[in-house]
C-alpha cells in the first residue's frame, strides 16, 4: 500500500528561525495519526506545507503521489481544519456549509445537518456572532462531513467544553469506521485522544522525535519508585527519561521493552512500578530542565523507531 | 476551469449580501438626490451628482474583501490559488457586466424621463458624453474592472508583505505622485496636463485608459497570489 | 481503557471474561469490531487486532459474511488457561508481600479462610 503522504528532509525557515528541521515521515492510508508536540514545535507549519498553504525552504513533499502545490487533483482530496480559520464576515453558518458542499466531492449533507444538531449550532447565525466554541464546532463539521480522504484537524477544539469534545471524538470514530480515511489530529489533549490514534508523530523544536505505533508505546514507558540504588539498577534496562529525588528515594521514568519479567524484577528489587501514559511520555520527551531536547535519548529513540 | 466555476459560485453562497449592499447604497444615494434636487425646484439647473460613484467604491471594497476574507477561506477548503484567482475574477467580471447593463438601462430611462422629471443626472456617465452604445456600455463596465483589480492588488500586497508592504506601497505612492505634482508645478506643466485631459475623448477616459491600467494590475495580481499564503 | 497495556490485549481479555462469566455463550455471536470500537471509544483497527488474536488462538471463529462466534469448547479451554495463570498472577505476589510483612503461610491460610466466609 503506497503512503498517502510522504515528507522527506523537509526544512522550513522563517527569517533565520528554523521551524522545521529535516523532517521525514510518511502517512499510511486509512489511519488516525496523532501529531503531538508543544506550542511552536512546528505542527501547524508542517500541516500548512502538506496542504500547500505554505512553502517549504527545502525538502520533498508528496501527497497522493504528487506535489500538492496548485495541484487540483490533490487539493480537492484534502481538508485542513485549523484553529485559526477565518470565514468571510457576510456568511452565516449555513452559507459556510453550502460553500463546503460546493467544494468537496464527497460532502455528506445529511451527516453535516446531523452534526449541526449534535453541536447545537444555529444555522442562521452570522459567523461574526459565533462564540469561540461554535466556530470550532463549525470547523469540525466541515472537516468531518467533507469526507476528505486526507483530513487535518489542527487543535480543533478551542473553546469546546468536555461534552462537545466527546461528541467530536465519538462522531469522528463512528464515521471513520464507516468511511475509512486518513486523519491527522494535532492536539494538546493527549489523554483524550490516546485511545483513538493508531500512530504517534511527536515533533519538538522542528524535529520528529517519535514516530511510532500507539499500541507499541503502551507499556513501553514506566515509572519506578524506590531506593536510589534499586532505581539505578532497574533504569539500566531501558532509557531513563526523567528522575526526581527525595532523600534516598528516587522516582524515574524509564522507556524500554518491559514485559512480565521486568515487572517481576522491579518487584523483587522492592520498586513500585506503574505504567506511564502517552501524555507522560510526550511530556518527558519534549521537556528538559534546561529547555533543550534530550539529544542523546531522542536520537536513540528515533533510530529505534525507524528500525521498526 | 471547473474548479474556478466552483469558486465563482462559492462567492455567491450569500448572494443577497453580495448584490444587495451595493444596490441598496446606490438606491439610497439616488433617493436622497431625488429628494434634495426635487425640493430645490430650480428648473434652470441640470445637476450632475457623484452618487453613481458609490457603487464603484463598493466594488473596490468587495474586491479587497475577496482577498482578505474569501481567499483564506477558499484555500482552507482545498482550492488552488490559480482556481481561486480565476473564479474570483470570473465572478466580479460577471458582476461588472450585470451592473453595467443595469446602469446603462437606468441611464436610458433617465434620459427618456428628462432626468426623472427634475432634470437630474444621476445614472448618466459622469463628465462626458459617449455616443456609441457599446463604448457607452464599456464606459460603465471597465471602471468596475479597474477598481476591482486595484482592490485585489492592494489587498494582495497586504496579504503577502503585511503591514510593512502596505507602508512601503503607500510611501512609494506618496513620493511618486507628490514628486510628480511638485515637478509639474515647478515646470508649469499643469495647463498642458489639463489640456491633455480635455483633448481625450470620453471613451478614452472611461474605457481606453482604465483598460490599459487594468491589464497590468491583473497580471501582477496573478503572479503575487501564486506565492501568497492565506 | 487502562494505561500501560496494549489496548488490543485489553479488548481480547474483556471478551475472554465475557465468555468465562457466560455473557457470551458458545456458538453465540460476538459484537462486531465496529461495535467494540464504538463501545470502548477506541480505534477500530485496534479492536480488530484484539478480536483477531482470539480467532488465532481458536477462541472465536469467523463465519463468512455473518460475523464472529464463540468456538465450541472455548470456555473450558479459557478456564484451564486462566487457572494456570492464576498462580503466577495472584498467588506469587501474595506470598511475596506476605513474606515482606512477616506473615507466615499458616497465618495467610487463616486469613484466606476468614475472608472467604464473607
Amino acid at each position: 500500500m503506497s503512503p498517502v503522504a510522504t515528507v522527506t528532509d523537509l526544512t522550513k525557515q522563517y527569517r533565520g528561525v528554523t521551524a522545521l528541521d529535516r523532517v521525514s515521515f510518511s502517512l499510511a492510508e486509512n489511519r488516525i495519526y496523532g501529531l503531538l508536540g508543544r506550542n511552536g514545535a512546528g505542527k501547524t507549519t508542517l500541516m500548512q506545507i502538506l496542504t500547500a498553504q505554505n512553502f517549504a525552504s527545502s525538502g520533498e513533499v508528496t501527497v497522493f503521489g504528487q506535489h500538492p502545490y496548485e495541484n487540483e487533483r490533490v487539493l480537492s482530496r484534502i481538508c485542513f481544519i485549523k484553529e485559526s480559520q477565518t470565514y468571510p464576515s457576510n456568511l452565516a453558518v449555513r452559507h459556510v456549509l453550502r460553500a463546503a458542499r460546493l467544494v468537496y466531492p464527497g460532502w455528506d449533507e445529511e451527516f453535516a445537518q446531523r452534526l449541526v444538531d449534535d453541536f447545537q449550532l444555529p444555522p442562521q447565525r452570522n459567523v461574526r456572532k459565533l462564540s469561540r466554541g461554535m466556530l470550532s464546532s463549525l470547523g469540525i463539521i466541515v472537516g468531518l462531513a467533507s469526507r476528505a480522504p486526507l483530513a487535518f484537524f489542527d487543535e480543533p477544539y478551542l473553546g469546546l467544553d468536555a461534552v462537545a469534545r466527546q461528541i467530536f471524538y465519538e462522531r469522528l470514530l463512528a464515521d471513520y469506521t464507516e468511511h475509512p480515511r486518513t486523519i491527522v489530529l494535532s492536539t494538546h489533549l493527549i489523554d483524550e485522544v490516546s485511545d483513538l490514534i493508531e500512530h504517534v508523530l511527536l515533533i519538538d523544536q522542528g524535529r520528529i522525535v517519535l514516530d511510532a505505533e500507539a499500541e507499541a508505546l503502551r507499556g513501553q514507558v514506566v515509572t519506578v519508585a524506590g531506593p536510589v540504588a534499586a532505581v539505578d539498577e532497574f533504569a539500566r534496562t531501558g532509557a531513563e527519561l526523567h528522575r526526581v529525588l527525595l532523600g534516598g528515594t528516587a522516582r524515574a521514568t524509564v522507556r524500554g521493552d518491559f514485559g512480565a519479567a521486568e515487572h517481576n524484577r522491579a518487584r523483587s528489587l522492592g520498586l513500585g512500578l506503574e505504567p506511564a501514559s502517552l501524555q507522560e511520555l510526550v511530556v518527558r520527551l519534549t521537556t528538559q530542565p534546561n529547555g533543550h531536547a534530550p539529544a542523546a535519548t531522542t536520537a536513540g529513540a528515533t533510530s529505534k523507531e525507524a528500525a521498526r | 476551469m471547473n474548479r474556478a466555476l466552483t469558486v465563482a459560485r462559492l462567492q455567491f453562497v450569500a448572494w443577497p449580501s453580495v448584490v444587495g449592499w451595493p444596490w441598496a447604497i446606490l438606491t439610497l444615494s439616488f433617493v436622497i438626490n431625488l429628494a434634495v434636487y426635487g425640493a430645490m425646484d430650480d428648473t434652470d439647473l441640470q445637476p450632475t451628482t457623484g452618487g453613481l460613484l458609490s457603487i464603484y467604491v463598493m466594488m473596490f471594497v468587495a474586491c479587497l474583501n475577496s482577498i482578505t476574507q474569501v481567499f483564506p477561506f477558499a484555500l482552507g477548503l482545498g482550492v488552488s490559488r490559480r482556481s481561486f484567482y480565476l473564479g474570483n475574477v470570473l465572478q466580479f467580471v460577471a458582476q461588472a457586466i450585470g451592473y453595467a447593463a443595469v446602469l446603462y438601462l437606468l441611464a436610458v430611462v433617465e434620459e427618456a424621463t428628462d432626468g426623472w422629471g427634475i432634470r437630474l443626472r444621476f445614472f448618466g456617465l459622469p463628465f462626458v458624453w459617449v455616443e456609441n452604445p457599446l463604448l457607452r456600455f464599456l464606459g460603465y463596465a471597465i471602471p468596475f474592472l479597474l477598481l476591482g483589480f486595484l482592490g485585489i492588488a492592494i489587498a494582495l500586497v497586504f496579504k503577502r508583505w503585511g503591514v510593512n508592504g502596505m507602508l512601503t506601497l503607500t510611501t512609494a505612492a506618496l513620493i511618486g505622485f507628490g514628486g510628480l505634482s511638485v515637478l509639474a508645478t515647478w515646470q508649469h506643466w499643469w495647463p498642458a496636463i489639463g489640456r491633455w485631459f480635455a483633448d481625450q475623448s470620453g471613451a478614452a477616459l472611461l474605457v481606453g485608459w482604465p483598460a490599459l491600467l487594468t491589464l497590468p494590475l491583473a497580471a501582477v495580481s496573478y503572479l503575487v497570489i501564486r506565492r501568497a499564503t492565506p | 481503557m487502562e494505561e500501560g497495556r496494549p489496548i488490543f490485549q485489553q479488548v481480547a481479555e474483556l471478551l475472554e471474561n465475557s465468555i468465562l462469566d457466560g455473557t457470551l455463550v458458545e456458538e453465540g455471536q460476538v459484537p462486531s469490531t465496529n461495535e467494540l470500537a464504538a463501545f470502548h471509544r477506541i480505534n477500530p483497527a485496534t479492536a480488530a487486532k484484539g478480536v483477531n488474536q482470539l480467532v488465532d488462538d481458536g477462541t472465536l471463529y469467523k463465519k463468512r459474511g455473518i460475523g464472529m462466534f464463540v468456538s465450541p469448547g472455548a470456555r473450558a479451554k479459557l478456564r484451564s488457561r486462566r487457572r494456570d495463570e492464576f498462580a503466577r498472577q495472584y498467588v506469587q505476589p501474595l506470598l511475596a508481600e506476605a513474606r515482606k510483612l512477616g506473615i507466615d503461610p499458616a497465618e495467610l491460610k487463616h486469613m484466606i479462610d476468614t475472608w472467604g466466609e464473607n
Side-chain angles (χ1 to χ4, degrees):
Chain A
M1 195 165 54
S2 63
V4 167
T6 315
V7 172
T8 318
D9 274 338
L10 177 66
T11 297
K12 173 70 181 179
Q13 279 157 334
Y14 291 106
R15 292 178 196 164
V17 178
T18 305
L20 294 173
D21 187 6
R22 282 174 292 127
V23 166
S24 298
F25 66 90
S26 65
L27 301 177
E29 197 180 16
N30 299 344
R31 305 184 105 204
I32 302 181
Y33 285 83
L35 179 58
L36 313 176
R38 305 181 68 182
N39 278 334
K43 303 187 297 280
T44 302
T45 306
L46 181 60
M47 288 184 278
Q48 281 174 336
I49 294 173
L50 273 164
T51 55
Q53 298 205 358
N54 209 331
F55 304 98
S57 301
S58 67
E60 286 289 319
V61 172
T62 313
V63 183
F64 296 114
Q66 295 172 6
H67 197 281
Y69 176 65
E70 294 295 73
N71 190 328
E72 222 67 74
R73 197 188 71 85
V74 171
L75 291 176
S76 62
R77 296 160 78 183
I78 300 179
C79 182
F80 180 22
I81 299 304
K82 47 184 180 297
E83 170 243 306
S84 58
Q85 180 67 58
T86 55
Y87 301 96
S89 58
N90 64 329
L91 300 190
V93 168
R94 65 195 173 91
H95 296 133
V96 171
L97 297 179
R98 206 182 296 158
R101 182 186 185 175
L102 284 173
V103 169
Y104 290 111
W107 182 261
D108 184 334
E109 178 64 20
E110 201 236 340
F111 183 35
Q113 290 308 324
R114 248 186 302 140
L115 290 168
V116 167
D117 291 342
D118 288 343
F119 284 104
Q120 301 177 328
L121 214 53
Q124 308 291 338
R125 193 174 297 180
N126 185 284
V127 288
R128 277 173 308 176
K129 294 183 181 125
L130 295 181
S131 68
R132 188 55 253 182
M134 286 172 167
L135 278 174
S136 294
S137 308
L138 182 56
I140 284 170
I141 293 169
V142 170
L144 288 178
S146 74
R147 295 256 166 81
L150 174 58
F152 296 91
F153 289 92
D154 186 8
E155 293 176 23
Y157 47 67
L158 209 74
L160 286 186
D161 58 28
V163 176
R165 292 202 301 274
Q166 277 311 320
I167 295 176
F168 167 47
Y169 301 137
E170 257 167 49
R171 298 300 181 274
L172 169 73
L173 203 55
D175 200 57
Y176 165 81
T177 307
E178 270 183 59
H179 305 271
R181 50 205 197 256
T182 307
I183 291 165
V184 179
L185 269 176
S186 153
T187 179
H188 284 126
L189 305 175
I190 299 164
D191 277 341
E192 290 191 357
V193 299
S194 65
D195 289 357
L196 241 66
I197 54 185
E198 272 178 274
H199 199 101
V200 175
L201 285 168
L202 176 59
I203 186 165
D204 191 43
Q205 302 186 357
R207 286 179 301 153
I208 298 276
V209 293
L210 186 65
D211 178 355
E213 294 293 313
E215 283 283 81
L217 289 172
R218 289 184 159 259
Q220 246 194 24
V221 183
V222 296
T223 305
V224 285
V228 174
V231 169
D232 280 344
E233 196 180 333
F234 185 84
R236 273 197 285 279
T237 56
E240 188 172 323
L241 301 175
H242 178 73
R243 175 184 291 226
V244 282
L245 285 167
L246 179 69
T249 310
R251 196 178 73 231
T253 309
V254 186
R255 184 173 173 208
D257 244 333
F258 299 121
E262 282 79 12
H263 283 235
N264 286 336
R265 195 157 153 269
R267 216 175 283 130
S268 62
L269 282 168
L271 293 172
L273 183 143
E274 260 181 36
S277 64
L278 180 60
Q279 166 123 335
E280 190 159 355
L281 171 64
V282 166
V283 168
R284 293 305 166 222
L285 282 179
T286 52
T287 37
Q288 286 297 293
N290 54 7
H292 291 293
T297 27
T298 45
T302 318
S303 56
K304 206 151 108 199
E305 292 313 330
R308 244 163 231 283
Chain B
M1 199 58 211
N2 238 346
R3 215 58 187 161
L5 275 174
T6 304
V7 173
R9 288 175 64 197
L10 189 151
Q11 302 264 37
F12 286 110
V13 287
W15 66 268
S17 71
V18 174
V19 180
W21 276 112
W23 289 97
I25 288 185
L26 188 70
T27 308
L28 187 70
S29 166
F30 175 59
V31 168
I32 291 172
N33 275 292
L34 264 187
V36 169
Y37 289 106
M40 280 160 70
D41 203 23
D42 185 348
T43 42
D44 291 340
L45 209 68
Q46 195 192 358
T48 301
T49 75
L52 186 58
L53 262 178
S54 68
I55 198 166
Y56 288 88
V57 172
M58 289 301 284
M59 179 65 104
F60 172 75
V61 173
C63 283
L64 272 176
N65 286 342
S66 76
I67 299 298
T68 57
Q69 298 189 8
V70 187
F71 176 62
F73 178 53
L75 253 65
L77 293 177
V79 171
S80 73
R81 293 165 176 81
R82 180 183 52 241
S83 295
F84 173 77
Y85 185 80
L86 289 178
N88 194 33
V89 169
L90 205 65
Q91 65 89 19
F92 104 78
V93 168
Q95 278 189 64
I97 290 172
Y99 292 5
V102 174
L103 291 177
Y104 190 119
L105 282 177
L106 287 169
V108 169
V109 173
E110 187 171 84
E111 278 165 48
T113 58
D114 193 23
W116 315 98
I118 54 165
R119 310 193 72 200
L120 176 71
R121 198 158 158 227
F122 186 85
F123 296 105
L125 281 174
F127 323 121
V128 289
W129 178 244
V130 180
E131 197 59 56
N132 180 316
L134 178 66
L135 282 179
R136 216 174 145 191
F137 168 74
L138 290 175
Y140 286 104
I142 299 292
F144 273 126
L145 299 189
L146 175 63
L147 281 165
F149 275 111
L150 197 63
I152 287 174
I154 289 172
L156 276 173
V157 169
F158 179 67
K159 252 290 72 104
R160 185 142 165 216
W161 292 285
V163 177
N164 286 339
M166 287 308 283
L167 287 176
T168 311
L169 185 73
T170 315
T171 314
L174 278 177
I175 291 174
F177 283 111
L180 279 179
S181 39
V182 169
L183 193 70
T185 310
W186 179 49
Q187 294 283 346
H188 306 290
W189 286 344
W190 288 118
I193 291 170
R195 267 199 306 284
W196 183 85
F197 271 103
D199 286 348
Q200 297 296 312
S201 70
L205 278 179
L206 287 174
V207 181
W209 290 110
L212 216 58
L213 286 171
T214 300
L215 287 175
L217 276 176
V220 169
S221 298
Y222 181 69
L223 294 177
V224 174
I225 205 171
R226 295 269 291 177
R227 300 295 294 176
T229 53
Chain C
M1 290 273 134
E2 216 178 284
E3 291 292 348
R5 278 190 314 139
I7 298 173
F8 80 91
Q9 274 179 14
Q10 300 183 47
V11 169
E13 256 176 46
L14 286 168
L15 287 172
E16 284 179 0
N17 289 344
S18 297
I19 295 170
L20 280 170
D21 68 18
T23 317
L24 290 173
V25 295
E26 287 175 7
E27 298 288 2
Q29 190 164 3
V30 174
S32 73
T33 305
N34 292 351
E35 287 168 341
L36 286 169
F39 183 79
H40 296 296
R41 285 195 196 136
I42 55 173
N43 194 293
T46 313
K49 202 174 163 192
V51 171
N52 286 337
Q53 179 179 292
L54 294 182
V55 172
D56 290 345
D57 71 10
T59 308
L60 305 179
Y61 69 97
K62 204 179 283 185
K63 272 192 201 169
R64 272 270 160 104
I66 306 176
M68 298 288 179
F69 292 81
V70 180
S71 306
R75 193 174 177 193
K77 228 173 72 187
L78 278 175
R79 188 180 289 165
S80 83
R81 198 174 75 204
R82 285 286 184 93
R83 275 166 174 263
D84 293 344
E85 283 170 9
F86 181 74
R88 193 165 45 81
Q89 244 186 356
Y90 297 96
V91 182
Q92 257 182 23
L94 181 74
L95 289 170
E97 184 70 11
R99 215 175 295 132
K100 200 155 72 179
L101 300 175
I103 304 172
D104 62 40
E107 206 180 340
L108 185 62
K109 239 167 143 183
H110 177 72
M111 279 168 113
I112 291 172
D113 287 343
T114 342
W115 281 90
E117 278 161 22
N118 301 335

